[in-house]
Amino acid sequence: MIEAIGNQYVVARPVYSTKTFGEEFKKTHRHHKTFLDHLKGCCSCSSQKAKKIALSLFPIASWLPAYKIKEWLLSDIVSGISTGLVAVLQGLAFALLVNIPPAYGLYAAFFPVITYFFLGTSRHISVGPFPVLSMMVGVVVTRVVSDPNASSELSSSSTENDSFIEEKVMVAASVTVLSGIIQLLLGVLQVGFVVIYLSESLISGFTTAAAIHVLVSQLKFMLQLPVPAYSDPFSIFKVLESVFTQIQKTNIADLVTSVIILVVVFVFKEINQRYRSKLPVPIPIELIMTVIATGVSYGCNFEDRFGVAVVGNMSLGFQPPITPSVEVFQDTIGDSFGIAIVGFAVAFSVASVYSLKYDYPIDGNQELIALGVSNIFTGAFKGFAGSTALSRSGVQESTGGKTQVAGLLSAVIVLIVIVAIGFLLQPLQKSVLAALALGNLKGMLMQFAEIGRLWKKDKYDCLIWIMTFIFAIVLGLGLGLAASVAFQLLTIVFRTQFPKCSTLANVGRSNIYKNKKNYAEVYEPEGVKIFRCPSPIYFANIGFFKQKLIDAVGFSPLRILRKRNKALKKIRKLQKRGLIQMTPKGFICTSDGFKDSDEELDNNQIEELDQPINTTDLPFDIDWNADLPLNITIPKISLHSLILDFSAVSFLDVSSMRGLRTILQEFIRIKVDVYIVGTDDDFIDKLARCEFFDDEVTDSIFFLTIHDAILHILMKKDYSTSKFNSSQEKERKFDFTINTNGGLRNRECQVPVETKF
């Protein structure tokens, strides 16, 4: 019964152990589905299930029929044109990160949008080239393809032949196809949850490090220096060394142009950010500067007059699809997996932001399928891996994009450039593309501010951010990502291996129990200790759990047990020789000449000393807290009950069960009752399946709450010391309530057996 009194409530109910609760409320046996049951469910087929699968595989079928032409079409057209112009420039710029000619970046900006239009679940993200992924693909290209001229110049350089370019394009395309296959398989197998292993701190630190890699990689284009390509660990430092040792060879025209472009882009991006609420659409500064830079370069003939590197030949139309290289697959499986996971993680995180903002669902597994098919399709047509660039998606959303119709229209803009006007970009300097690429890194570089915020919120997350950044900078993006995930999992192990265990006490004269160190006025029942473990218990932390428990109670139960068994052996010898008598006042030893060395006792088998104490053969009981004969010294303990709060213990593995049972047995054998509270039924069922219970450790030790266990202990203690006879005890009822001074008092009452608190 629950009775509300103002802002308080009074609960009247019996004291429940888990066992008695299940008996009273008739706990039903649940059938848990086996793997075979799940397999049958997956293999079964019905018209409704087939329709659901079809709609999930082709989300366009659910939203396109409901498309509001009058309300959405104009916004999607404006958004599509704006996004398409940005996609063209980013495709050209990010192709430099892949170490292939810029023209191939247009393919990477076109094909993914087409497939995502049919398969994607997000209405606002713009799929295509992403600088971090482009950098990761570029690292693989550099490692697999060896430059015969040790030069990083692209197609416009006479030192690089066509076969070398084709080889690099083949590697980039093959890696893209393989990463797409991995994403597709993960989506089909419904393992989109894999993204949970990349926390926000890890992604933030990794993308910041990738931005530094992008910045360093673009220095060679901004300064037009022949920097060799590196892909091994510490490559970023080798590139910097090469740049600074050749700094005197800098092409001043490229440097001045790139600096001007970079400054202007940063200024206008800041204006777009600060006045975004007042501007109808963001100022397309990248497009404006590209048009100006191309016109100036063409009109002043920068290529011949100053020797600048330009985009060069832009063949119109599409190239025929290619067959990916199986050899490249074998050499880049690890890199492709990292590219697949990072690409999905970035796209899904951005899609989640917009889905929450505009209140529509997204499906992680379907996103994997959509991105996988997009990358396979793109790689087959000589593009490179993509995800979603934050800036490009921001343009699509901020300019009024409502659906992926805007994305389709942006692909049309890219198509026009590919088949008709791409040649107009041939005079464009590569240093301009490098500056545009760096202009899109502002958001990622500003993530350094996360360090201070994370340090105040969670030092573990801050450490993950810092170590991820260091790993990605020092080891490179591929190995750095693997090391970062391993380090993140290691921090989880540390958090659970060394949990902050605590001792609880009653607070507020109620059924509330909190860490006694946090509150001044607390009440601990005499002889009772409440210990809380706030983490799973498994093979790695069972030893730590045992030590913390020993520290909390103030003694080792095993040590007490062994000393009592040693003393019992000595008492038995005295009793057999008739040298000891038991009186109401205690033991009396009739001989002072008995000697029994401790060495003899210490040489006994340890296994014998660890067994339960058995005094049935003695004509008297032994009070271990009283004085023993012949000055036998046994540590005295006042603890008679131990409560383990397992409400935060989510699981207990098989390896730790033996250790936990041993701990419980040690306390039980020294007459300390142990109770476990807060566990769910599945926890207890698992213990039963694993044969955890025996004659000493029974399932009756489990109680619903700490207060249930406390009241049970007090009632049990009162019954054991009661002066009434058995018939009187049956008639006598007890009601335990919280006393005004924080203690528990016992009152006689004539009401049915209930406990009020």
Side-chain angles (χ1 to χ4, degrees), residues 77-93:
I77 291 175
V78 174
S79 174
I81 294 173
S82 303
T83 307
L85 295 174
V86 175
V88 169
L89 300 177
Q90 290 187 349
L92 295 172

Side-chain angles (χ1 to χ4, degrees), residues 604-624:
N604 286 305
Q605 294 294 328
I606 295 297
E607 290 79 3
E608 295 181 11
L609 300 179
D610 293 346
Q611 296 306 309
I613 298 173
N614 184 9
T615 60
T616 56
D617 59 325
L618 296 176
F620 47 78
D621 292 328
I622 302 176
D623 183 1
W624 295 107

Side-chain angles (χ1 to χ4, degrees), residues 715-727:
M715 286 188 292
K716 181 179 179 181
K717 184 180 179 183
D718 187 272
Y719 286 141
S720 65
T721 58
S722 176
K723 301 298 183 182
F724 304 116
N725 57 38
S726 59
S727 61

Side-chain angles (χ1 to χ4, degrees), residues 130-443:
F130 178 56
V132 174
L133 285 191
S134 301
M135 188 70 199
M136 295 178 73
V137 176
V139 169
V140 179
V141 171
T142 302
R143 190 187 75 242
V144 175
V145 183
S146 57
D147 190 341
N149 301 291
S151 173
S152 63
E153 299 298 326
L154 297 179
S155 58
S156 63
S157 173
S158 60
T159 61
E160 188 170 40
N161 52 46
D162 293 340
S163 62
F164 182 48
I165 296 175
E166 288 299 324
E167 187 178 0
K168 293 201 293 186
V169 171
M170 171 62 76
V171 171
S174 299
V175 170
T176 300
V177 171
L178 182 55
S179 64
I181 292 173
I182 293 172
Q183 288 174 329
L184 181 60
L185 289 176
L186 292 176
V188 171
L189 295 175
Q190 301 289 293
V191 289
F193 65 86
V194 71
V195 74
I196 65 177
Y197 292 106
L198 301 179
S199 66
E200 291 184 6
S201 301
L202 187 145
I203 293 176
S204 177
F206 181 78
T207 51
T208 305
I212 300 297
H213 276 282
V214 172
L215 174 62
V216 173
S217 68
Q218 296 305 286
L219 291 177
K220 61 185 178 183
F221 297 107
M222 296 176 67
L223 305 178
Q224 199 188 141
L225 297 176
V227 179
Y230 300 100
S231 61
D232 53 338
F234 304 99
S235 60
I236 190 171
F237 304 106
K238 296 177 181 179
V239 171
L240 288 173
E241 180 186 9
S242 179
V243 168
F244 287 116
T245 54
Q246 304 180 74
I247 196 71
Q248 71 277 5
K249 301 178 182 178
T250 298
N251 187 302
I252 302 301
D254 271 326
L255 175 61
V256 172
T257 303
S258 58
V259 170
I260 293 174
I261 296 292
L262 196 57
V263 171
V264 173
V265 168
F266 270 135
V267 169
F268 276 86
K269 279 187 174 292
E270 185 65 26
I271 293 174
N272 285 336
Q273 179 68 22
R274 183 166 298 183
Y275 300 101
R276 58 184 174 181
S277 59
K278 299 180 180 180
L279 294 173
V281 294
I283 301 172
I285 188 60
E286 292 98 337
L287 175 63
I288 295 173
M289 296 309 297
T290 300
V291 173
I292 294 175
T294 304
V296 172
S297 177
Y298 176 76
C300 299
N301 195 14
F302 276 8
E303 182 178 10
D304 294 333
R305 291 181 61 185
F306 303 109
V308 299
V310 298
V311 170
N313 182 42
M314 294 276 291
S315 57
L316 300 180
F318 294 95
Q319 297 190 17
I322 60 174
T323 302
S325 171
V326 178
E327 294 180 357
V328 175
F329 282 3
Q330 296 173 350
D331 295 339
T332 61
I333 179 67
D335 301 280
S336 299
F337 187 82
I339 291 170
I341 296 300
V342 172
F344 169 61
V346 172
F348 186 75
S349 60
V350 176
S352 298
V353 172
Y354 291 126
S355 70
L356 292 174
K357 182 177 180 179
Y358 293 98
D359 191 24
Y360 62 86
I362 58 172
D363 185 350
N365 293 310
Q366 182 60 27
E367 286 295 293
L368 270 171
I369 294 174
L371 292 173
V373 174
S374 297
N375 279 329
I376 293 173
F377 197 40
T378 302
F381 284 91
K382 299 185 178 181
F384 50 85
S387 176
T388 177
L390 280 66
S391 58
R392 193 170 62 249
S393 295
V395 169
Q396 180 166 320
E397 184 265 344
S398 62
T399 52
K402 303 297 183 183
T403 66
Q404 282 300 328
V405 170
L408 185 64
L409 293 175
S410 71
V412 172
I413 301 298
V414 180
L415 177 64
I416 294 173
V417 176
I418 293 175
V419 300
I421 62 174
F423 68 93
L424 296 177
L425 297 173
Q426 290 180 175
L428 181 63
Q429 296 170 243
K430 290 181 181 177
S431 58
V432 173
L433 294 178
L436 293 177
L438 297 185
N440 286 281
L441 300 180
K442 178 187 174 184

